[in-house]
Amino acid sequence: MSESVCEKSGWIGVARVGAAALVLALAGGCAGSGSGGGAYDFGIVGDTPYTHVQAKEFTRVMASLDAADLAFVAHVGDFEFDARPYNRDPSKADMPCTDENFAAVLAGFNASKNPFILTPGDNDWTDCVHLKAHKVDPLERLEKIRAMFYPQGRSLGQRSMPVTHQSGDTGYAKFRENLTWSIGGVRYVTLHMVGSNNNLGKDPRDIAEHAERSAANDAWLKKAFASANAEQALGLVIITQANPGFENRWTSSMKRRYASSIKGLKRPAKTEPTGFDSFLATITAEMEGYDRPTLFIHGDTHLLRISRPLLSAKTKQPFQNFTRVETFGWPDSHWLKITVDPDDSQLFRIRMELVQENLVNRRAR
C-alpha cells in the first residue's frame, strides 16, 4: 500500500491504493471551514447497463449503492445500449428506445434506497435514430424521458430529495431535466448535454433542438454560478453526460504532449467546431470569476479519469480550482463515491468503489 503523496498546491493526492479502492483528494483552493456542516458522500454511476451481462452487473452495482449511506446517487446518462445491435436481432429482450424499456429502467431507479438523479445520455434519445427495428422519433423520445424521469420538485428513489427544475424559469418550460439543489453548503447542477456531438448537425429539427437546449444549458450554468456566489457556497458540482472535449481548446504545446503520450497517435489536426463550443465558452468565462472548488462530472467516453483540462482564456493555464472527473462506463460496472468534507481544504475526495463480483466476472470472460 502506498503512502499519501500530495503536491503542495493540493491538486491531487493519492491517499490509499489497495486492491479494491483508490482514494483521490481533489484540489480547489480555499474550501472554507467546517461551518457548512459535516462531511457526507454521494455516488456517481453512468454509461450502464449496455448488455444483458452488464444488466446483471448493474444489479450488483445498485446493491452496492444501496448498502452505502449516500446523500444521493447520480446516473450520468446512457442507461441503455446503442440501438444499432438490435437491428440485427429485433427479437432481443429490453430493446432500447421503447416505452417498455424506459419503464423498466425507471422502476430500477425508483427502487434505489438513496435519492436518485438522472441526466440523459445520447443513447437514451438522440441515438435512437439508429434503431431500424421500428420507427422511432428521437425528439419524441426526449419528451417521453422528460415526462417520465423528472417528477415535479423531487428526485427519483425510495427516499427522494427536493430539487429545483429549470422548467420553473420563464422561457425554459420544457427543460425539466435540468436540476439544481444544495447540500451542506455545496451547490449542485445538472446540464442536459449529450454525446454524439450534442445532437448537432443531423437535420434542421436536430439543429434547432441543439440550439435551444444549448441556450438553456448556458443560462442554467450561469445561474448556478450566480447562486453559488450569492449563497457563498463552499463549492460547485456540475453533472452532465457528455465529454465536451476540453482538449480541443488546449494550447498547441499541450496538444503535442498529449499526442506524444499515445504511440501511433498523429499530431492533432486543426480544431473543428463542435456541439460543445457554447458550453466551453460559457464555463470558461464563469470560471474566470469563481475561486471555489468546482467539480465537473461526466461520462460518455468510458475512461475513468481525473484531470485539470479547462484552460483560462486569460492565462492559457489550467484553472487550479476546476477538476474533471469521468466515471466508470461500459464495459466496467462499478461506481464512484465522492466525499464532501467542509473541514478538508480540498473539499472533494474521490474513491473508486469496485464491485468485487463484477471484477471476477470481467476477468473470467
Side-chain angles (χ1 to χ4, degrees), residues 282-339:
T282 298
I283 197 166
T284 301
E286 292 296 321
M287 285 299 301
E288 300 287 3
Y290 191 71
D291 63 359
R292 293 300 179 104
T294 305
L295 199 60
F296 181 82
I297 300 171
H298 71 90
D300 184 24
T301 37
H302 306 196
L303 294 172
L304 178 68
R305 53 181 149 180
I306 298 173
S307 63
R308 288 184 305 172
L310 183 63
L311 301 189
S312 165
K314 297 177 180 178
T315 67
K316 304 302 181 185
Q317 296 297 315
F319 288 104
Q320 297 296 304
N321 60 321
F322 181 93
T323 302
R324 174 259 290 280
V325 177
E326 181 169 7
T327 189
F328 292 103
W330 180 87
D332 296 310
S333 300
H334 309 291
W335 61 283
L336 294 181
K337 178 191 288 183
I338 301 182
T339 298

Side-chain angles (χ1 to χ4, degrees), residues 59-90:
T59 299
R60 293 190 281 268
V61 170
M62 289 297 293
S64 178
L65 288 162
D66 284 346
D69 182 16
L70 302 173
F72 66 91
V73 174
H75 191 297
V76 297
D78 273 14
F79 58 68
E80 59 184 4
F81 196 29
D82 186 295
R84 281 167 287 196
Y86 288 79
N87 294 328
R88 296 190 293 270
D89 184 4

